[in-house]
Amino acid sequence: FFFRPQCFSTMVPAPLITGTVIYAIIGAALCALTFGALVTGKLSKDNAAIANVVIVIATFSTWLFWLCAWLHQWHPLIRPIYEE
């Protein structure tokens, strides 16, 4: 999906990079929308600053939750016990 240098490809799995880039794009788009609302006058400077902080914290929190869920499925801590 994305270009990765050869030395970097063995360190980090591709889905991890893809998900991180997607969350970064979503966070940047939301910050751009906030900036657009500030420029057009729909938000005051104080409200735009608060909105940017909320967007960054929310984006990081949802990315961290996704990362924990992805890692838990990638390397489960408890292996299933199958009955025969």
Side-chain angles (χ1 to χ4, degrees):
F1 183 66
F2 291 105
F3 172 74
R4 296 186 313 163
Q6 186 64 23
C7 63
F8 192 65
S9 65
T10 58
M11 291 188 280
V12 180
L16 191 63
I17 294 172
T18 304
T20 301
V21 168
I22 289 171
Y23 273 101
I25 290 170
I26 290 171
L30 290 173
C31 285
L33 286 174
T34 302
F35 180 73
L38 175 65
V39 170
T40 58
K42 295 187 185 277
L43 283 177
S44 67
K45 187 176 181 181
D46 292 335
N47 288 341
I50 291 171
N52 280 333
V53 170
V54 169
I55 288 168
V56 169
I57 291 172
T59 303
F60 177 76
S61 299
T62 54
W63 172 81
L64 187 62
F65 181 79
W66 169 81
L67 178 69
C68 290
W70 187 84
L71 287 174
H72 180 70
Q73 294 175 25
W74 189 41
H75 289 293
L77 296 176
I78 301 172
R79 296 191 186 273
I81 300 172
Y82 299 109
E83 294 182 15
E84 295 181 20

